[in-house]
Coordinates of all heavy atoms in Angstrom, one line a residue:
M642 N -28.6 -9.4 -12.1 CA -28.5 -8.0 -11.5 C -27.1 -7.9 -10.9 O -26.6 -8.8 -10.2 CB -29.5 -7.8 -10.5 CG -29.8 -6.3 -10.2 SD -31.2 -6.1 -9.2 CE -30.5 -6.0 -7.6
M643 N -26.5 -6.7 -11.1 CA -25.1 -6.5 -10.6 C -25.2 -6.0 -9.2 O -26.1 -5.3 -8.8 CB -24.5 -5.3 -11.4 CG -24.2 -5.7 -12.9 SD -22.6 -6.5 -13.0 CE -21.4 -5.2 -12.6
I644 N -24.3 -6.5 -8.4 CA -24.2 -6.1 -7.0 C -23.3 -4.8 -7.0 O -22.2 -4.8 -7.5 CB -23.6 -7.2 -6.1 CG1 -24.5 -8.4 -6.1 CG2 -23.3 -6.6 -4.7 CD1 -23.8 -9.7 -5.7
P645 N -23.9 -3.7 -6.5 CA -23.1 -2.5 -6.4 C -21.9 -2.6 -5.5 O -22.0 -3.2 -4.4 CB -24.0 -1.4 -5.9 CG -25.2 -2.1 -5.4 CD -25.2 -3.6 -5.8
K646 N -20.7 -2.2 -6.0 CA -19.6 -2.2 -5.1 C -18.7 -0.9 -5.3 O -18.9 -0.2 -6.3 CB -18.7 -3.4 -5.3 CG -18.2 -3.6 -6.8 CD -17.4 -4.9 -6.9 CE -16.0 -4.7 -6.9 NZ -15.1 -5.2 -7.8
A647 N -17.9 -0.7 -4.3 CA -17.0 0.5 -4.4 C -16.2 0.5 -5.7 O -15.7 -0.6 -6.1 CB -16.1 0.6 -3.2
T648 N -16.0 1.6 -6.3 CA -15.2 1.7 -7.5 C -13.7 1.5 -7.1 O -13.2 2.1 -6.2 CB -15.3 3.1 -8.2 OG1 -16.2 3.9 -7.4 CG2 -15.7 2.9 -9.6
T649 N -13.1 0.6 -7.9 CA -11.7 0.4 -7.7 C -11.0 0.7 -9.0 O -11.5 0.6 -10.1 CB -11.4 -1.0 -7.3 OG1 -11.9 -1.9 -8.2 CG2 -11.9 -1.3 -5.9
V650 N -9.7 1.2 -8.9 CA -8.9 1.5 -10.1 C -7.9 0.4 -10.3 O -7.3 -0.1 -9.4 CB -8.1 2.8 -9.8 CG1 -7.4 3.2 -11.1 CG2 -9.1 3.9 -9.4
R651 N -7.8 -0.1 -11.6 CA -6.9 -1.1 -11.9 C -6.0 -0.5 -13.1 O -6.5 -0.3 -14.2 CB -7.5 -2.4 -12.4 CG -8.3 -3.1 -11.4 CD -7.4 -3.7 -10.3 NE -8.1 -4.0 -9.0 CZ -8.8 -5.1 -8.8 NH1 -8.8 -6.1 -9.6 NH2 -9.4 -5.2 -7.6
L652 N -4.7 -0.3 -12.8 CA -3.9 0.3 -13.8 C -2.9 -0.8 -14.2 O -2.6 -1.8 -13.6 CB -3.0 1.4 -13.2 CG -3.8 2.6 -12.6 CD1 -2.8 3.6 -12.0 CD2 -4.6 3.3 -13.7
K653 N -2.3 -0.6 -15.4 CA -1.2 -1.4 -15.9 C -0.3 -0.6 -16.8 O -0.7 0.5 -17.1 CB -1.8 -2.7 -16.6 CG -2.8 -2.5 -17.7 CD -3.3 -3.8 -18.2 CE -4.3 -3.5 -19.3 NZ -4.8 -4.8 -19.9
G654 N 0.8 -1.2 -17.1 CA 1.7 -0.5 -18.0 C 2.3 0.7 -17.4 O 2.6 0.8 -16.2
V655 N 2.5 1.7 -18.3 CA 3.1 3.0 -17.8 C 2.4 3.7 -16.7 O 3.1 4.1 -15.7 CB 3.3 3.9 -19.0 CG1 3.9 5.3 -18.6 CG2 4.3 3.3 -20.1
P656 N 1.1 3.8 -16.7 CA 0.4 4.5 -15.6 C 0.7 3.8 -14.2 O 0.9 4.4 -13.2 CB -1.1 4.4 -15.9 CG -1.1 4.3 -17.4 CD 0.1 3.5 -17.8
L657 N 0.7 2.5 -14.2 CA 1.0 1.7 -13.0 C 2.4 2.0 -12.6 O 2.7 2.2 -11.4 CB 0.7 0.2 -13.2 CG 1.0 -0.7 -12.0 CD1 0.1 -0.3 -10.8 CD2 0.9 -2.1 -12.4
K658 N 3.3 2.0 -13.5 CA 4.7 2.2 -13.2 C 4.9 3.6 -12.6 O 5.6 3.8 -11.6 CB 5.6 2.1 -14.5 CG 7.0 1.8 -14.3 CD 7.7 1.5 -15.6 CE 9.2 1.8 -15.6 NZ 9.6 3.1 -16.2
K659 N 4.2 4.6 -13.1 CA 4.3 6.0 -12.6 C 3.7 6.0 -11.2 O 4.3 6.7 -10.3 CB 3.5 6.9 -13.5 CG 4.2 7.1 -14.9 CD 4.2 8.6 -15.3 CE 5.3 8.8 -16.3 NZ 4.7 9.1 -17.6
L660 N 2.6 5.3 -11.0 CA 2.0 5.3 -9.6 C 3.0 4.7 -8.6 O 3.2 5.2 -7.5 CB 0.7 4.5 -9.7 CG 0.0 4.3 -8.4 CD1 -0.4 5.6 -7.7 CD2 -1.2 3.4 -8.5
V661 N 3.5 3.5 -9.0 CA 4.5 2.8 -8.1 C 5.7 3.7 -7.8 O 6.1 3.8 -6.6 CB 4.9 1.5 -8.7 CG1 6.1 0.9 -7.9 CG2 3.7 0.5 -8.7
E662 N 6.1 4.5 -8.8 CA 7.2 5.4 -8.6 C 6.8 6.5 -7.6 O 7.6 6.9 -6.7 CB 7.6 6.1 -9.9 CG 8.6 5.3 -10.7 CD 8.8 5.8 -12.1 OE1 8.4 7.0 -12.4 OE2 9.4 5.1 -12.9
A663 N 5.6 6.9 -7.6 CA 5.1 8.0 -6.7 C 5.0 7.4 -5.3 O 5.3 8.2 -4.3 CB 3.7 8.5 -7.2
V664 N 4.6 6.2 -5.2 CA 4.6 5.5 -3.8 C 6.0 5.5 -3.2 O 6.2 5.9 -2.1 CB 4.0 4.1 -3.9 CG1 4.0 3.4 -2.5 CG2 2.5 4.2 -4.4
Y665 N 7.0 5.1 -4.0 CA 8.4 5.0 -3.6 C 8.9 6.4 -3.1 O 9.5 6.5 -2.1 CB 9.3 4.5 -4.7 CG 9.4 3.0 -4.7 CD1 8.4 2.2 -5.3 CD2 10.5 2.3 -4.1 CE1 8.6 0.8 -5.3 CE2 10.6 1.0 -4.1 CZ 9.7 0.2 -4.7 OH 9.8 -1.2 -4.7
K666 N 8.5 7.4 -3.9 CA 8.9 8.7 -3.6 C 8.3 9.2 -2.3 O 9.0 9.8 -1.5 CB 8.6 9.7 -4.8 CG 9.4 10.9 -4.9 CD 9.1 11.6 -6.2 CE 9.6 13.1 -6.0 NZ 9.0 14.0 -7.0
R667 N 7.0 9.1 -2.2 CA 6.3 9.6 -1.0 C 6.8 8.9 0.2 O 7.0 9.5 1.3 CB 4.8 9.3 -1.1 CG 4.0 9.8 0.0 CD 2.6 9.2 0.1 NE 2.8 7.8 0.4 CZ 1.8 6.8 0.2 NH1 0.7 7.2 -0.3 NH2 2.0 5.6 0.4
D668 N 7.1 7.6 0.1 CA 7.6 6.8 1.3 C 9.1 6.8 1.5 O 9.6 6.0 2.3 CB 7.0 5.4 1.3 CG 5.4 5.4 1.3 OD1 4.9 6.5 1.7 OD2 4.8 4.4 1.0
N669 N 9.8 7.6 0.7 CA 11.3 7.7 0.8 C 12.0 6.3 0.6 O 13.0 6.1 1.2 CB 11.7 8.3 2.1 CG 11.2 9.7 2.3 OD1 11.2 10.5 1.3 ND2 10.6 10.0 3.4
H670 N 11.4 5.4 -0.2 CA 12.0 4.1 -0.5 C 12.1 3.3 0.7 O 12.8 2.3 0.8 CB 13.4 4.3 -1.1 CG 13.6 3.8 -2.5 ND1 13.7 2.4 -2.7 CD2 13.6 4.4 -3.7 CE1 13.8 2.2 -4.0 NE2 13.8 3.4 -4.6
E671 N 11.3 3.6 1.8 CA 11.4 2.9 3.0 C 10.1 2.2 3.4 O 9.0 2.8 3.2 CB 11.8 3.8 4.2 CG 13.3 4.3 4.1 CD 13.6 5.4 5.1 OE1 12.7 5.9 5.8 OE2 14.8 5.8 5.2
C672 N 10.2 1.1 4.1 CA 9.1 0.4 4.7 C 8.4 1.4 5.7 O 9.1 1.9 6.6 CB 9.5 -0.8 5.4 SG 8.2 -1.6 6.4
I673 N 7.1 1.6 5.6 CA 6.5 2.6 6.5 C 6.3 2.0 7.9 O 6.0 2.8 8.8 CB 5.1 3.1 6.0 CG1 4.1 1.9 5.9 CG2 5.3 3.7 4.6 CD1 2.8 2.3 6.5
I674 N 6.5 0.7 8.1 CA 6.4 0.1 9.4 C 7.7 0.1 10.2 O 7.8 0.6 11.3 CB 5.9 -1.3 9.3 CG1 4.5 -1.4 8.6 CG2 5.8 -2.0 10.7 CD1 3.4 -0.8 9.4
C675 N 8.8 -0.4 9.5 CA 10.0 -0.5 10.3 C 11.2 0.3 9.7 O 12.2 0.4 10.3 CB 10.5 -2.0 10.3 SG 11.0 -2.6 8.6
G676 N 10.9 1.0 8.6 CA 11.9 1.9 8.1 C 13.0 1.3 7.3 O 14.0 1.9 6.9
A677 N 12.9 0.0 7.0 CA 13.9 -0.7 6.2 C 13.9 -0.2 4.7 O 12.8 0.2 4.2 CB 13.7 -2.2 6.2
W678 N 15.0 -0.2 4.1 CA 15.1 0.2 2.7 C 14.4 -0.8 1.8 O 14.5 -2.0 2.1 CB 16.6 0.2 2.3 CG 16.8 0.6 0.9 CD1 17.2 -0.2 -0.2 CD2 16.8 2.0 0.3 NE1 17.3 0.6 -1.3 CE2 17.1 1.9 -1.1 CE3 16.5 3.2 0.9 CZ2 17.1 3.0 -1.9 CZ3 16.5 4.3 0.1 CH2 16.8 4.2 -1.3
V679 N 13.6 -0.3 0.9 CA 12.9 -1.2 0.0 C 13.5 -1.1 -1.4 O 13.6 0.0 -2.0 CB 11.4 -0.8 0.0 CG1 10.6 -1.7 -1.0 CG2 10.7 -0.9 1.4
E680 N 13.9 -2.3 -1.9 CA 14.5 -2.4 -3.2 C 13.6 -2.0 -4.3 O 12.4 -2.2 -4.2 CB 14.9 -3.8 -3.5 CG 16.0 -4.4 -2.5 CD 17.4 -3.9 -2.8 OE1 17.7 -3.5 -3.9 OE2 18.1 -3.8 -1.8
D681 N 14.1 -1.4 -5.4 CA 13.3 -1.2 -6.6 C 12.7 -2.5 -7.0 O 13.4 -3.5 -6.9 CB 14.2 -0.6 -7.7 CG 14.3 0.9 -7.6 OD1 13.3 1.6 -7.3 OD2 15.4 1.4 -7.8
G682 N 11.5 -2.4 -7.6 CA 10.9 -3.6 -8.1 C 10.0 -4.4 -7.1 O 9.3 -5.3 -7.5
V683 N 10.1 -4.0 -5.9 CA 9.2 -4.6 -4.9 C 7.8 -4.0 -5.0 O 7.7 -2.8 -5.1 CB 9.7 -4.4 -3.4 CG1 8.7 -5.0 -2.4 CG2 11.1 -5.1 -3.3
K684 N 6.8 -4.8 -5.1 CA 5.4 -4.3 -5.3 C 4.9 -3.7 -4.0 O 5.0 -4.3 -3.0 CB 4.5 -5.4 -5.8 CG 4.7 -5.8 -7.2 CD 3.4 -6.5 -7.7 CE 3.6 -7.0 -9.1 NZ 4.0 -8.4 -9.2
P685 N 4.4 -2.4 -4.1 CA 3.8 -1.8 -2.9 C 2.6 -2.7 -2.4 O 2.0 -3.4 -3.2 CB 3.3 -0.4 -3.4 CG 4.1 -0.2 -4.6 CD 4.3 -1.5 -5.3
H686 N 2.3 -2.5 -1.2 CA 1.1 -3.2 -0.6 C -0.1 -2.3 -0.8 O -0.1 -1.1 -0.7 CB 1.3 -3.4 0.9 CG 0.1 -3.9 1.6 ND1 -0.4 -5.1 1.4 CD2 -0.7 -3.3 2.5 CE1 -1.5 -5.3 2.1 NE2 -1.7 -4.2 2.8
H687 N -1.2 -3.0 -1.1 CA -2.5 -2.3 -1.2 C -3.3 -2.4 0.1 O -3.4 -3.5 0.7 CB -3.4 -3.0 -2.3 CG -2.9 -2.7 -3.7 ND1 -1.9 -3.4 -4.3 CD2 -3.3 -1.8 -4.6 CE1 -1.7 -3.0 -5.5 NE2 -2.5 -2.0 -5.8
E688 N -3.8 -1.3 0.5 CA -4.7 -1.3 1.7 C -5.9 -0.5 1.3 O -5.8 0.7 1.1 CB -4.0 -0.7 2.9 CG -4.6 -0.9 4.2 CD -4.6 -2.4 4.6 OE1 -3.5 -3.0 4.6 OE2 -5.7 -3.0 4.8
P689 N -7.1 -1.0 1.3 CA -7.5 -2.4 1.5 C -6.9 -3.3 0.5 O -6.6 -2.9 -0.6 CB -9.0 -2.4 1.5 CG -9.4 -1.2 0.6 CD -8.3 -0.2 0.9
Q690 N -6.7 -4.6 0.9 CA -6.2 -5.6 0.0 C -7.4 -6.4 -0.5 O -8.5 -6.2 -0.2 CB -5.2 -6.4 0.8 CG -5.7 -7.1 2.0 CD -4.8 -8.1 2.6 OE1 -4.0 -8.7 1.9 NE2 -4.9 -8.4 3.9
G691 N -7.0 -7.4 -1.3 CA -8.0 -8.3 -1.8 C -8.9 -7.7 -2.9 O -8.4 -6.9 -3.6
S692 N -10.2 -8.1 -2.9 CA -11.0 -7.6 -4.0 C -11.3 -6.1 -4.0 O -11.6 -5.6 -5.1 CB -12.3 -8.4 -4.0 OG -13.0 -8.2 -2.8
R693 N -11.1 -5.5 -2.9 CA -11.3 -4.0 -2.8 C -10.1 -3.2 -3.1 O -10.1 -2.0 -3.0 CB -11.9 -3.7 -1.4 CG -13.4 -4.0 -1.3 CD -13.8 -4.0 0.2 NE -13.6 -2.7 0.8 CZ -13.0 -2.6 2.0 NH1 -12.5 -3.6 2.6 NH2 -12.9 -1.4 2.5
K694 N -9.0 -3.9 -3.4 CA -7.8 -3.1 -3.6 C -7.9 -2.3 -4.9 O -8.6 -2.6 -5.8 CB -6.6 -4.1 -3.7 CG -6.4 -4.8 -5.0 CD -5.1 -5.6 -5.0 CE -4.8 -6.1 -6.4 NZ -3.6 -6.9 -6.4
S695 N -7.2 -1.1 -4.8 CA -7.3 -0.1 -5.8 C -6.0 0.5 -6.1 O -5.2 0.8 -5.2 CB -8.3 0.9 -5.4 OG -8.6 1.8 -6.5
D696 N -5.6 0.7 -7.4 CA -4.3 1.3 -7.7 C -4.4 2.8 -7.6 O -4.6 3.5 -8.6 CB -3.9 0.9 -9.1 CG -3.6 -0.6 -9.2 OD1 -3.2 -1.2 -8.2 OD2 -3.8 -1.2 -10.3
E697 N -4.4 3.3 -6.4 CA -4.4 4.7 -6.1 C -3.3 5.0 -5.1 O -3.1 4.2 -4.2 CB -5.8 5.2 -5.6 CG -6.9 5.0 -6.6 CD -8.3 5.2 -5.9 OE1 -8.6 6.4 -5.7 OE2 -8.9 4.2 -5.6
L698 N -2.8 6.2 -5.2 CA -1.6 6.6 -4.3 C -2.0 6.4 -2.8 O -1.2 5.9 -2.0 CB -1.1 8.0 -4.6 CG 0.1 8.5 -3.9 CD1 1.3 7.5 -4.1 CD2 0.5 9.9 -4.3
D699 N -3.2 6.9 -2.4 CA -3.6 6.8 -1.0 C -4.2 5.5 -0.6 O -4.7 5.4 0.5 CB -4.4 8.0 -0.6 CG -5.8 8.0 -1.3 OD1 -6.1 7.1 -2.1 OD2 -6.6 8.9 -1.0
K700 N -4.0 4.5 -1.4 CA -4.4 3.1 -1.1 C -3.3 2.2 -1.2 O -3.5 1.0 -1.3 CB -5.6 2.7 -1.9 CG -6.9 3.5 -1.5 CD -8.1 3.1 -2.3 CE -9.2 4.0 -1.8 NZ -10.4 3.9 -2.7
M701 N -2.0 2.7 -1.3 CA -0.9 1.9 -1.4 C 0.3 2.4 -0.5 O 0.4 3.6 -0.3 CB -0.4 1.9 -2.9 CG -1.3 1.2 -3.9 SD -1.0 1.7 -5.6 CE 0.4 0.7 -5.9
V702 N 1.0 1.5 0.0 CA 2.2 1.8 0.9 C 3.3 0.9 0.6 O 3.2 -0.2 0.1 CB 1.9 1.6 2.4 CG1 1.0 2.8 2.9 CG2 1.3 0.3 2.7
L703 N 4.5 1.4 0.9 CA 5.7 0.5 0.8 C 5.9 -0.3 2.0 O 5.9 0.3 3.1 CB 7.0 1.4 0.6 CG 7.4 1.7 -0.9 CD1 8.8 2.4 -0.8 CD2 7.3 0.6 -1.8
L704 N 6.0 -1.6 1.9 CA 6.4 -2.4 3.0 C 7.6 -3.3 2.6 O 7.7 -3.7 1.4 CB 5.2 -3.4 3.4 CG 3.9 -2.8 3.9 CD1 2.9 -3.9 4.1 CD2 4.1 -1.9 5.1
C705 N 8.5 -3.5 3.5 CA 9.6 -4.4 3.2 C 9.0 -5.9 3.2 O 7.9 -6.1 3.6 CB 10.7 -4.3 4.3 SG 10.2 -5.0 5.9
M706 N 9.8 -6.8 2.7 CA 9.4 -8.2 2.5 C 8.8 -8.7 3.8 O 7.8 -9.4 3.9 CB 10.5 -9.0 2.1 CG 11.1 -8.6 0.7 SD 10.1 -9.2 -0.6 CE 11.1 -10.6 -1.2
R707 N 9.5 -8.4 4.9 CA 9.1 -9.0 6.2 C 7.8 -8.5 6.7 O 6.9 -9.2 7.1 CB 10.2 -8.7 7.3 CG 11.0 -10.0 7.6 CD 12.1 -9.7 8.7 NE 11.6 -8.9 9.8 CZ 12.4 -8.1 10.5 NH1 13.7 -8.1 10.2 NH2 12.0 -7.3 11.5
C708 N 7.7 -7.1 6.7 CA 6.4 -6.5 7.2 C 5.3 -6.9 6.2 O 4.1 -7.1 6.6 CB 6.6 -5.0 7.3 SG 7.7 -4.5 8.6
H709 N 5.6 -7.0 4.9 CA 4.6 -7.3 3.9 C 4.0 -8.7 4.2 O 2.8 -8.9 4.3 CB 5.1 -7.2 2.5 CG 4.1 -7.0 1.5 ND1 4.4 -6.5 0.2 CD2 2.7 -7.1 1.5 CE1 3.2 -6.4 -0.5 NE2 2.2 -6.8 0.3
H710 N 5.0 -9.6 4.5 CA 4.6 -11.0 4.8 C 3.7 -11.0 6.1 O 2.7 -11.7 6.2 CB 5.8 -11.9 4.9 CG 5.5 -13.3 5.2 ND1 5.0 -14.2 4.3 CD2 5.5 -14.0 6.4 CE1 4.7 -15.4 4.8 NE2 5.0 -15.3 6.1
E711 N 4.2 -10.3 7.0 CA 3.5 -10.2 8.3 C 2.1 -9.6 8.1 O 1.1 -10.1 8.8 CB 4.3 -9.3 9.2 CG 4.0 -9.3 10.7 CD 4.2 -10.7 11.4 OE1 5.2 -11.3 11.0 OE2 3.4 -11.1 12.2
R712 N 1.9 -8.6 7.3 CA 0.6 -8.1 7.1 C -0.3 -9.1 6.4 O -1.5 -9.2 6.8 CB 0.7 -6.8 6.1 CG -0.6 -6.3 5.6 CD -1.5 -5.8 6.7 NE -2.9 -5.4 6.1 CZ -3.9 -6.3 6.1 NH1 -3.8 -7.5 6.6 NH2 -5.1 -5.8 5.7
H713 N 0.2 -9.9 5.5 CA -0.7 -10.8 4.8 C -0.9 -12.1 5.6 O -2.0 -12.6 5.5 CB -0.1 -11.2 3.4 CG -0.3 -10.1 2.4 ND1 -1.3 -10.1 1.5 CD2 0.3 -8.9 2.2 CE1 -1.3 -9.0 0.7 NE2 -0.3 -8.3 1.1
S714 N 0.1 -12.6 6.2 CA -0.1 -13.9 6.9 C 0.5 -14.0 8.2 O 0.7 -15.2 8.7 CB 0.3 -15.0 5.9 OG 1.5 -14.7 5.3
G715 N 1.0 -12.9 8.8 CA 1.6 -13.0 10.1 C 0.7 -12.8 11.3 O -0.5 -12.5 11.1
K716 N 1.2 -13.0 12.5 CA 0.4 -12.8 13.7 C 0.0 -11.4 13.9 O -1.0 -11.0 14.5 CB 1.1 -13.3 14.9 CG 1.3 -14.8 15.0 CD 1.7 -15.2 16.4 CE 2.1 -16.7 16.5 NZ 3.4 -17.0 15.9
K717 N 0.9 -10.4 13.4 CA 0.7 -9.0 13.6 C -0.1 -8.3 12.5 O -0.1 -7.1 12.4 CB 2.0 -8.3 13.8 CG 2.7 -8.7 15.2 CD 3.8 -7.7 15.5 CE 4.9 -7.8 14.6 NZ 6.1 -7.0 14.9
S718 N -0.8 -9.1 11.7 CA -1.5 -8.6 10.5 C -2.4 -7.4 10.9 O -2.4 -6.4 10.2 CB -2.3 -9.7 9.9 OG -3.1 -9.2 8.8
E719 N -3.2 -7.6 11.9 CA -4.2 -6.6 12.3 C -3.5 -5.3 12.8 O -3.9 -4.2 12.4 CB -5.1 -7.2 13.4 CG -6.2 -6.2 13.8 CD -7.2 -5.8 12.8 OE1 -7.2 -6.4 11.7 OE2 -8.0 -4.8 13.0
E720 N -2.4 -5.5 13.5 CA -1.6 -4.4 14.0 C -1.1 -3.6 12.9 O -1.1 -2.3 12.9 CB -0.5 -5.0 14.9 CG 0.2 -4.0 15.8 CD 1.2 -4.8 16.7 OE1 0.9 -5.8 17.3 OE2 2.4 -4.4 16.6
I721 N -0.5 -4.3 11.9 CA 0.1 -3.6 10.8 C -1.0 -2.9 9.9 O -0.8 -1.8 9.5 CB 0.9 -4.6 9.9 CG1 2.2 -5.0 10.7 CG2 1.4 -4.0 8.6 CD1 3.1 -6.0 10.1
R722 N -2.1 -3.6 9.8 CA -3.2 -2.9 9.0 C -3.6 -1.6 9.6 O -3.8 -0.6 8.9 CB -4.4 -3.9 9.0 CG -5.6 -3.3 8.1 CD -6.8 -4.2 8.2 NE -7.5 -4.2 9.4 CZ -8.3 -3.2 9.8 NH1 -8.6 -2.2 9.1 NH2 -8.9 -3.3 11.0
L723 N -3.7 -1.5 11.0 CA -4.0 -0.3 11.6 C -3.0 0.8 11.4 O -3.3 1.9 11.2 CB -4.3 -0.5 13.1 CG -5.5 -1.4 13.5 CD1 -5.5 -1.7 15.0 CD2 -6.8 -0.6 13.1
Q724 N -1.7 0.4 11.5 CA -0.6 1.3 11.3 C -0.6 1.9 9.8 O -0.4 3.0 9.6 CB 0.7 0.7 11.5 CG 1.0 0.5 13.0 CD 2.5 0.1 13.2 OE1 3.4 0.8 12.9 NE2 2.7 -1.1 13.7
V725 N -0.9 1.0 8.9 CA -1.0 1.4 7.5 C -2.1 2.4 7.3 O -2.0 3.4 6.6 CB -1.1 0.1 6.6 CG1 -1.5 0.6 5.1 CG2 0.2 -0.7 6.5
E726 N -3.3 2.0 7.9 CA -4.4 2.9 7.7 C -4.2 4.3 8.3 O -4.6 5.3 7.7 CB -5.7 2.3 8.3 CG -6.3 1.2 7.4 CD -7.6 0.7 7.9 OE1 -8.0 1.0 9.1 OE2 -8.3 0.0 7.1
K727 N -3.5 4.3 9.5 CA -3.2 5.5 10.1 C -2.3 6.4 9.3 O -2.4 7.6 9.1 CB -2.6 5.2 11.5 CG -2.8 6.3 12.5 CD -2.3 5.8 13.9 CE -1.9 7.0 14.7 NZ -1.2 6.5 15.9
Y728 N -1.3 5.7 8.7 CA -0.3 6.4 7.9 C -1.0 7.0 6.6 O -0.7 8.1 6.3 CB 0.8 5.3 7.4 CG 1.8 5.9 6.5 CD1 2.9 6.6 7.0 CD2 1.7 5.7 5.1 CE1 3.9 7.1 6.1 CE2 2.6 6.3 4.2 CZ 3.7 6.9 4.7 OH 4.6 7.5 3.8
L729 N -1.8 6.2 6.0 CA -2.5 6.7 4.8 C -3.4 7.8 5.1 O -3.5 8.8 4.3 CB -3.2 5.5 4.1 CG -2.3 4.5 3.4 CD1 -3.2 3.4 2.8 CD2 -1.6 5.2 2.2
Q730 N -4.1 7.7 6.3 CA -4.9 8.8 6.7 C -4.1 10.1 6.8 O -4.5 11.2 6.4 CB -5.6 8.5 8.0 CG -6.7 9.4 8.4 CD -7.8 9.5 7.4 OE1 -8.3 8.4 7.1 NE2 -8.2 10.7 7.0
G731 N -2.9 10.0 7.4 CA -2.0 11.1 7.5 C -1.6 11.7 6.2 O -1.6 13.0 6.0
T732 N -1.4 10.9 5.2 CA -1.0 11.4 3.9 C -2.2 12.1 3.2 O -2.0 13.1 2.5 CB -0.5 10.3 2.9 OG1 -1.6 9.5 2.6 CG2 0.6 9.5 3.5
R733 N -3.4 11.7 3.5 CA -4.6 12.3 2.9 C -4.8 13.7 3.5 O -5.3 14.6 2.9 CB -5.9 11.5 3.2 CG -5.9 10.3 2.3 CD -7.2 9.5 2.5 NE -7.1 8.1 2.0 CZ -7.1 7.1 2.7 NH1 -7.4 7.2 4.0 NH2 -7.0 5.9 2.2
D734 N -4.5 13.8 4.8 CA -4.7 15.1 5.5 C -3.7 16.2 5.2 O -3.9 17.3 5.4 CB -4.6 14.9 7.1 CG -5.9 14.0 7.5 OD1 -6.8 13.9 6.7 OD2 -5.8 13.5 8.6
R735 N -2.6 15.7 4.6 CA -1.5 16.7 4.2 C -2.1 17.7 3.1 O -2.8 17.2 2.2 CB -0.3 16.0 3.6 CG 0.9 16.0 4.5 CD 2.0 15.1 3.9 NE 2.3 14.0 4.7 CZ 3.1 13.0 4.3 NH1 3.4 13.0 3.0 NH2 3.4 12.1 5.1
P736 N -1.7 19.0 3.2 CA -2.3 19.9 2.2 C -1.7 19.6 0.8 O -0.7 19.1 0.7 CB -1.8 21.3 2.7 CG -0.7 21.0 3.7 CD -0.9 19.6 4.2
Ligands
ZN867 ZN1 9.3 -3.4 7.4
ZN868 ZN1 0.3 -6.7 0.1

């Protein structure tokens, strides 16, 4: 029997590329935590991460290498998670 779980989107190829471009555009090419410039080709962070991650605009944010590392394995992981969630909530509320 299958265990029901939240639907997640997994994209690849051109649709994924377009989505990543949209994330860069929305976040002005900047890390949403510290404002650092994010180079092209850096993969956006997924929130939630792990098995519940989903390739959707409101579940992805741009983080610089440092903040991204901090989110995944740093001491401030929880703090950054809350900031990311708050940020994404704000983008959802926009008309
Ligand atoms: Zn940063
Ligand atoms: Zn990440």
Side-chain angles (χ1 to χ4, degrees):
M642 201 172 94
M643 294 276 290
I644 297 160
K646 61 184 253 228
T648 0
T649 55
V650 184
R651 293 291 158 88
L652 300 177
K653 52 184 180 179
V655 175
L657 179 62
K658 202 169 154 258
K659 291 225 160 107
L660 174 64
V661 169
E662 276 171 11
V664 175
Y665 271 81
K666 204 172 158 197
R667 185 199 61 200
D668 296 346
N669 299 315
H670 241 285
E671 290 172 352
C672 171
I673 65 133
I674 300 293
C675 71
W678 181 257
V679 178
E680 299 285 331
D681 275 317
V683 174
K684 286 198 183 98
H686 170 68
H687 287 82
E688 196 67 54
Q690 56 167 335
S692 59
R693 281 163 61 229
K694 78 175 189 183
S695 188
D696 293 330
E697 294 170 80
L698 185 57
D699 66 356
K700 290 179 182 168
M701 292 163 77
V702 285
L703 269 192
L704 296 180
C705 69
M706 300 280 256
R707 252 182 43 208
C708 294
H709 205 161
H710 180 78
E711 194 63 37
R712 168 63 185 95
H713 282 261
S714 42
K716 288 196 189 77
K717 290 195 293 183
S718 176
E719 180 64 12
E720 198 177 306
I721 291 180
R722 185 182 69 80
L723 290 172
Q724 283 189 64
V725 167
E726 281 189 348
K727 208 170 153 195
Y728 177 84
L729 287 174
Q730 190 60 51
T732 67
R733 287 186 197 115
D734 291 343
R735 253 176 239 166

